[in-house]
Amino acid sequence: MTAKIRPAKGAPYARILGVGGYRPTRVVPNEEILKHIDSSDEWIRSRSGITTRHWAGPEETVAEMTLAAAGKAIADAGITPEQIGAVVISTVSHFKQTPSIATEVAHRLGTGRAAAFDISAACAGFGYGLTIAKGLVVEGSAEYVLVVGVERLSDLTDLTDRTTAFLFGDGAGAAVVGPSEEPAIGPTVWGSEGDKADVISQTVPWDDYREGGVEKFPALRQEGQTVFRWAVFEMAKVAQQALEAAGITSDDLDVFIPHQANMRIIDSMVKTLGLPEHVTVARDVETTGNTSAASIPLAMERLLATGQAKSGDTALVIGFGAGLVYAATVVTLP
Ligand SMILES: CC(C)(COP(=O)(O)OP(=O)(O)OC[C@H]1O[C@@H](n2cnc3c(N)ncnc32)[C@H](O)[C@@H]1OP(=O)(O)O)[C@@H](O)C(=O)NCCC(=O)NCCS
C-alpha cells in the first residue's frame, strides 16, 4: 500500500541573514606577477582592471579561510553554530577529494551534526549554493544554511602563462541563509553549456599528473577572448532575465554584484543592462582578482562593510565560469 507521507514544513521564504569574508594577508602586486611573464603593469591594469590580489600562505588553507569567513557570517547573522542545519561549500581548489571539506568545517565550527557537502560550480558556485540553501530553508530540511565559496586559485595558476597568471586570487566568502516572512531571494536563472567545456578548464586531469604523463602540476587555462565575449553578451541577457524573474526593473536596483572576473566585463555588463547611475557596482576585482566561487560574497561583504551598500538594499548577483555554468538572482542584502 502507498502510505500517506507527511510533507516537510519549512519557512515561507528565505533570506541572506549575514555575510563574512576572509582575504589572505599577503597582497601580491602586478610587479610580482611580472617576474614570471612578459607583460606590463599598464597592460594588466587596462585589460583586466586588476592591480593587486591576495595569495594564501601555507597556513591559510581552504579549511582555515572557510572557518574565518564562516565565523564572521554566523556572527553577522546573529545565530549560533548549533543552529546551522546544513553546510554547503563551493570550491574547485580543495585538493582532497573525500571526505568533503564541508564536513570538516561543520564539525570545527561546532554545528553539531549539520548536513554537509561540497559542490563544484566554479565561478557560479555561490549562486548555485544560494539556490540550494534557499530550497533547503523553504522545504524545511534546515532552518539555517551556511553557504561558502572558497578558493586557493594560486595553487592552480601557471605563473609562466601570461594569459592567466595575473587573473586569479585566493579567499573565502560566506553567507548564512535562513527563514524570512518576505521574499528576499528571487528566482534563480541558472544553467550550463557543456558544449563549451573546453573554454575554461584544468590543463590535465589529476590522474594524468599522477601517472607521470605530464610534468607540470595542473593549472587553469582558458580561451580568454571566447570567455570575454560569452560573458559580455550572454551573461548580460541572463542578468536581465533574473531581474524579470524577480518582477523588478533596473530602476528598482540599488546594487549590482557581478562575478569579479575582469573590470572590462563588469563595465560592459553595466552598459548593456543600462543600469541607472544610482546603482552601486561591485568592483572588488581591482584589489582581489578573480577568486571564483568566493568573488560574489567577498564583494558583497566589502560593499556592506565600507557603507557603499546597506542592509535592505536590493542587489542583482550573477556568477559565471567554467562548465560553462551561470547563476543569477536578485537578493535583499542582509
Ligand atoms: C585574459 C584577458 C584579460 C586577455 O585580454 P584580451 O584583450 O582578450 O587579450 P588577447 O588575448 O586578445 O590578447 C591581445 C594581445 O595581447 C597579448 N597578450 C596576452 N597576454 C598578455 C600579457 N599578459 N601581457 C601583454 N600582452 C599580452 C596577446 O599575445 C595578444 O597579442 P597580439 O595582438 O600581438 O596577438 C581577457 O581575455 C579576459 O579577461 N577574458 C576573460 C577572462 C575571465 O574572466 N576568465 C574567467 C571567467 S570565470
Side-chain angles (χ1 to χ4, degrees), residues 93 106 174:
S93 46

Side-chain angles (χ1 to χ4, degrees), residues 33-34 37-41 43-44 46-50 122-124 161-168 199-200 222-231 259-265 290 292 319-322 324-325:
I33 306 290
L34 297 173
I37 55 169
D38 177 17
S39 186
S40 67
D41 179 45
W43 192 94
I44 295 172
S46 65
R47 295 294 173 124
S48 72
I50 300 169
C123 306
D161 174 4
R162 73 174 186 156
T163 66
T164 56
F166 56 93
L167 287 174
F168 302 119
V199 173
I200 314 172
Q222 64 171 354
E223 293 169 25
Q225 279 204 20
T226 311
V227 179
F228 193 94
R229 278 196 299 271
W230 175 76
H259 171 46
Q260 302 292 298
N262 180 314
M263 198 70 86
R264 283 160 58 221
I265 293 177
N290 178 349
S292 193
F320 46 85
L324 297 173
V325 289

